[in-house]
Amino acid sequence: MCSKIRKFLEEASAKSGFAVESREFANFLSENDELKTLRDEFYYPKMKTLPQVDLTLVKPEDDSIYMCGNSLGLMPKATREIMNRQFDKWAGMGVFGHTEGELPWAHCDESTLDEIAPIVGAEPSEVSMMNSLTVNLHILLTAFYKPTEKRHKILLESRAFPSDHYAIESQIRLKGFNPETSMICLDPREGEDCLRTQDILDVIEQEGDSIAVVAFSGIQYYTGQLFDIPTITAAAQKKVKLELKWLPGGLGSRARLRERPLHLSAWNVDFACWCSYKYGNTGAGGLAGLYINKRFAKDERERMLGWWSHKMSSRFMMSNQLELDEGAAGYRISNPPMMLAVGVMGFLEVYKKTNIQELRSKSIHLTGYFEHLVKHHLGADSPYRKKDSKVACTIMTPSDPEQRGCQLSLKFNIDIATVYQELVRRGVACDKRYPNVIRATPVHYYNNYTDVWRFVKTLVDVVLYLEEEHAFNGSLNS
Ligand SMILES: *Cc1c(COP(=O)(O)O)cnc(C)c1O
């Protein structure tokens, strides 16, 4: 474990007089967390409101153990209020709502940009809030991936999020190339779970002349590894861009908003897109983001167009003579969805009360504490493990906080479906990802140290239960 986190835990333990592994210590940390009131800004699910919980095993009125913000963030209370006001407005004024009232719908996406852009380290003109993540990836690749016989490859990590993988694969085929030869899906080294930055740089160096786009995720969804975007971008810009003045290539980043500070402009990323319903808490399928570096603000490259790509000043002249809007705004296609913009605004009401640096600092402590408890109770050399235990639970996510976000990917040698099912029965929300990972995430907005403690306690209970029940007899794998 990193020495900063060890120091944080040791100092807090000395101050409180509680052992780091005790429940009292978890409560102490939760009480002394400067961001603790943010939890009240959300509806936090109860045991009794989660489906599939066995209410004989838990107290129905207790808070559930929600560790699944990596998949779907919780609902800000503000969202319901803003949505209700918009429903009233729609009911009361119909079409006039496009231009009148608290949130003129025709501009509802733009009204979020001044606050969203700094979160990703961009200027407002470099960002649009539109569509969903995969759709934006297609829009970006349609505009920026222009393969030639010489330069046609897209470099990404192996086992990328399936939607990203399919989008890239299909874009290669749509442009008449073959994914077999045009898609480089980089594997970690034999016996390792995460990619080494140097290995990524080596491939860019070796294959750079034939690479058109380097497209990494900000954080790998399966392993939780945080990619070194500035270093990868610098290498890609050198090798892929310089020879490429005539050819639109570049580095795309498929990010997840607000798990960690992003500096897309300073890192000189060419384009990027992100979803907002995980750490952005905007609701399932929430309005996604798109970033276009200002170097491309006026380049008018071919792209997918619609009436919202047209400058606002003359959009409604309906002349059918396109006046392309500049920057990221010129990549929009449709009338923005008011109900999805409300999700972003509800989130911003919460975000206003803090900032990404504070959140990241809390997150590093929270996940470091989580890592400590998992290793303490379930690590190979833990004195708490049963001597003949057949269960191995290891952490796939890097231990260095600089190389991860808030999620930990727990790797099991037993059937994860059973582990998952038993966790859910005990009031845990997390997710299983085959072949052998349970992902669990304390989120800096609404989770506290007590949630983490309760999660690990429940996980230990489940492992002991399964060992006693021999539920995994015959299903051991390595
Ligand atoms: C959540 C996520 C997606 C999902 O894309 P949608 O288009 O919103 O369904 C894709 N890629 C990554 C990296 C994700 O984290």
Side-chain angles (χ1 to χ4, degrees):
M1 178 196 297
C2 120
S3 57
K4 268 204 314 222
I5 293 170
R6 184 175 303 280
K7 193 160 161 252
F8 161 72
L9 294 176
E10 280 168 4
E11 284 179 4
S13 173
K15 195 168 157 204
S16 66
F18 297 125
V20 170
E21 297 76 26
S22 66
R23 183 175 192 139
E24 290 76 15
F25 183 67
N27 292 342
F28 172 83
L29 289 180
S30 299
E31 267 312 302
N32 288 283
D33 168 14
E34 281 171 11
L35 298 182
K36 69 175 174 187
T37 55
L38 290 183
R39 187 183 181 96
D40 302 330
E41 304 287 328
F42 293 87
Y43 291 103
Y44 190 97
K46 298 278 181 203
M47 287 291 185
K48 65 176 182 189
T49 58
L50 286 191
Q52 300 171 33
V53 177
D54 181 342
L55 292 176
T56 64
L57 295 176
V58 298
K59 293 201 189 110
E61 298 299 327
D62 277 359
D63 282 348
S64 66
I65 306 172
Y66 196 86
M67 297 279 281
C68 213
N70 54 283
S71 188
L72 189 73
L74 292 178
M75 174 175 163
K77 291 176 181 166
T79 300
R80 188 196 290 269
E81 287 166 29
I82 302 171
M83 190 72 92
N84 279 340
R85 292 203 295 274
Q86 292 310 312
F87 280 147
D88 289 344
K89 183 174 127 177
W90 181 19
M93 65 167 85
V95 69
F96 293 96
H98 275 316
T99 50
E100 304 283 335
E102 173 192 6
L103 178 68
W105 302 326
H107 307 281
C108 62
D109 58 333
E110 292 168 7
S111 72
T112 65
L113 297 182
D114 283 347
E115 289 157 291
I116 292 290
I119 302 176
V120 295
E123 292 170 22
S125 65
E126 295 176 306
V127 173
S128 281
M129 292 302 286
M130 54 195 248
N131 311 311
S132 44
L133 169 53
T134 316
V135 174
N136 287 346
L137 187 54
H138 274 293
I139 288 173
L140 287 169
L141 289 173
T142 302
F144 285 85
Y145 175 54
K146 305 273 161 82
T148 63
E149 277 309 317
K150 186 165 169 289
R151 195 184 280 281
H152 54 91
K153 294 181 187 165
I154 299 184
L155 170 66
L156 66 158
E157 80 271 17
S158 72
R159 281 218 297 226
F161 195 97
S163 202
D164 304 354
H165 187 100
Y166 303 148
I168 289 172
E169 205 171 34
S170 61
Q171 282 284 334
I172 289 172
R173 274 200 218 100
L174 280 167
K175 304 236 161 113
F177 285 76
N178 182 352
E180 293 275 320
T181 45
S182 294
M183 197 162 166
I184 313 176
C185 302
L186 198 56
D187 275 318
R189 293 188 188 185
E190 189 68 36
E192 297 184 9
D193 291 316
C194 296
L195 277 169
R196 298 188 191 196
T197 304
Q198 190 56 49
D199 291 353
I200 300 173
L201 301 184
D202 288 348
V203 172
I204 292 174
E205 187 57 34
Q206 287 152 19
E207 308 242 10
D209 293 340
S210 59
I211 294 175
V213 175
V214 176
F216 275 86
S217 50
I219 288 177
Q220 220 290 338
Y221 86 99
Y222 188 73
T223 63
Q225 177 183 15
L226 184 158
F227 287 116
D228 185 350
I229 298 293
T231 303
I232 297 170
T233 309
Q237 295 288 7
K238 223 162 81 198
K239 195 74 187 174
V240 180
K241 272 297 301 290
L242 284 181
E243 301 163 12
L244 236 149
K245 288 199 186 80
W246 49 275
L247 185 82
L251 183 124
S253 173
R254 318 177 322 261
R256 297 150 140 234
L257 185 52
R258 301 144 200 154
E259 186 172 2
R260 56 138 166 174
L262 292 166
H263 306 281
L264 296 176
S265 296
W267 294 342
N268 203 21
V269 169
D270 289 329
F271 53 86
C273 50
W274 58 87
C275 61
S276 67
Y277 52 89
K278 293 156 187 165
Y279 304 100
N281 307 301
T282 59
L287 200 58
L290 170 140
Y291 164 86
I292 303 281
N293 192 298
K294 58 178 170 296
R295 284 184 278 111
F296 304 108
K298 295 186 184 192
D299 77 351
E300 306 212 338
R301 69 185 53 231
E302 264 327 313
R303 67 190 72 173
M304 293 159 83
L305 293 168
W307 67 329
W308 241 256
S309 328
H310 190 119
K311 282 190 173 138
M312 180 62 196
S313 51
S314 54
R315 183 180 304 151
F316 298 103
M317 307 296 282
M318 309 304 239
S319 66
N320 291 0
Q321 299 287 321
L322 182 80
E323 275 185 69
L324 187 64
D325 209 341
E326 288 177 13
Y331 287 79
R332 293 177 303 172
I333 296 175
S334 289
N335 190 2
M338 170 273 279
M339 292 185 214
L340 297 191
V342 167
V344 180
M345 299 189 69
F347 162 71
L348 288 172
E349 283 299 306
V350 181
Y351 185 76
K352 240 175 17 201
K353 306 193 160 132
T354 175
N355 60 61
I356 194 76
Q357 283 74 24
E358 275 179 359
L359 291 163
R360 174 67 169 156
S361 164
K362 167 172 173 179
S363 169
I364 285 175
H365 289 153
L366 206 51
T367 298
Y369 171 69
F370 183 17
E371 177 189 12
H372 170 78
L373 288 186
V374 170
K375 287 184 172 161
H376 181 85
H377 290 288
L378 295 162
D381 48 4
S382 165
Y384 299 92
R385 277 167 58 93
K386 276 174 59 179
K387 293 230 159 23
D388 55 349
S389 175
K390 293 198 171 63
V391 179
C393 166
T394 51
I395 299 173
M396 184 186 262
T397 310
S399 189
D400 174 8
E402 301 296 318
Q403 293 181 53
R404 69 182 179 202
C406 36
Q407 163 188 328
L408 289 186
S409 301
L410 308 175
K411 186 170 157 182
F412 288 85
N413 66 337
I414 55 172
D415 178 25
I416 50 163
T418 319
V419 179
Y420 175 78
Q421 189 193 334
E422 291 302 325
L423 285 169
V424 169
R425 280 181 63 209
R426 289 162 178 78
V428 172
C430 59
D431 63 22
K432 57 175 191 287
R433 287 287 177 264
Y434 291 107
N436 49 17
V437 162
I438 300 263
R439 301 188 304 167
T441 306
V443 174
H444 30 276
Y445 289 103
Y446 42 75
N447 283 121
N448 59 30
Y449 296 84
T450 310
D451 297 332
V452 173
W453 190 91
R454 292 163 70 225
F455 174 82
V456 177
K457 158 103 174 55
T458 308
L459 183 60
V460 171
D461 287 348
V462 165
V463 168
L464 289 174
Y465 168 81
L466 292 179
E467 284 186 321
E468 268 156 35
E469 294 286 305
H470 303 290
F472 48 84
N473 250 359
S475 64
L476 282 175
N477 47 53
S478 51

